[in-house]
Amino acid sequence: MVLVDTNVLLDVLTDDPVWRSWSEEKILECGEVEDIAINPIIYAELAPAYRRSSELERSLKGWTLQRLQLPYEAGFIAGHVFVQYRREGGQRRSPLPDFYIGAHAQSERMALLTRDATRYRSYFPKVKLIAPK
């Protein structure tokens, strides 16, 4: 299974002139060989792009995205990774959505399709990333 990061979905849903082509191609490629999925954190990050939940639902309808719950194990991993981030000088006061997304991918042994691989590579080295070179 491949967890699709928010930035990749937004590229397609907002018709990003730079990244839409790459993101759409990767979503389709991944979907041909594995199930693709989102979680509540990714859904929440998509929400501000829409005025109503029904609009968001319509935009997601064309994709065969499984909707996964965020397991408690992912919350545990995210909490520990956040402590590491803070020790390394991170300024945020609460865990970032990326920590939950990366932890979800790690805890469920999923690949992660993302354009923002830097933080994931640093804090989730066990997660297989599908990202631009």
Side-chain angles (χ1 to χ4, degrees):
M1 184 167 297
V2 176
L3 192 61
V4 182
D5 200 2
T6 311
N7 53 42
V8 174
L9 289 167
L10 282 174
D11 290 344
V12 177
L13 297 174
T14 64
D15 200 21
D16 183 277
V18 175
W19 288 104
R20 180 194 169 110
S21 178
W22 182 89
S23 294
E24 188 169 36
E25 178 181 313
K26 292 300 177 188
I27 291 170
L28 293 171
E29 282 177 13
C30 289
E32 286 178 6
V33 293
E34 296 187 65
D35 291 332
I36 55 176
I38 61 172
N39 65 29
I41 302 291
I42 295 165
Y43 190 88
E45 287 188 315
L46 292 172
Y50 298 88
R51 290 175 10 144
R52 295 186 177 88
S53 62
S54 61
E55 293 171 3
L56 174 53
E57 289 298 325
R58 263 194 306 280
S59 70
L60 293 176
K61 200 171 192 166
W63 301 99
T64 56
L65 294 166
Q66 288 193 26
R67 293 172 187 226
L68 306 177
Q69 294 301 312
L70 192 62
Y72 281 90
E73 176 69 15
F76 186 83
I77 294 168
H80 280 270
V81 169
F82 180 70
V83 169
Q84 178 185 350
Y85 160 82
R86 293 283 291 160
R87 285 185 185 140
E88 293 172 355
Q91 299 300 308
R92 300 286 176 122
R93 297 275 177 223
S94 62
L96 300 167
D98 288 350
F99 290 140
Y100 289 107
I101 293 167
H104 190 187
Q106 181 175 311
S107 70
E108 300 289 316
R109 293 177 177 81
M110 292 183 281
L112 178 61
L113 174 57
T114 185
R115 277 194 301 99
D116 186 19
T118 303
R119 183 174 289 130
Y120 295 118
R121 279 194 187 107
S122 297
Y123 294 101
F124 301 97
K126 295 177 185 176
V127 174
K128 176 186 172 191
L129 299 177
I130 303 165
K133 301 283 184 216

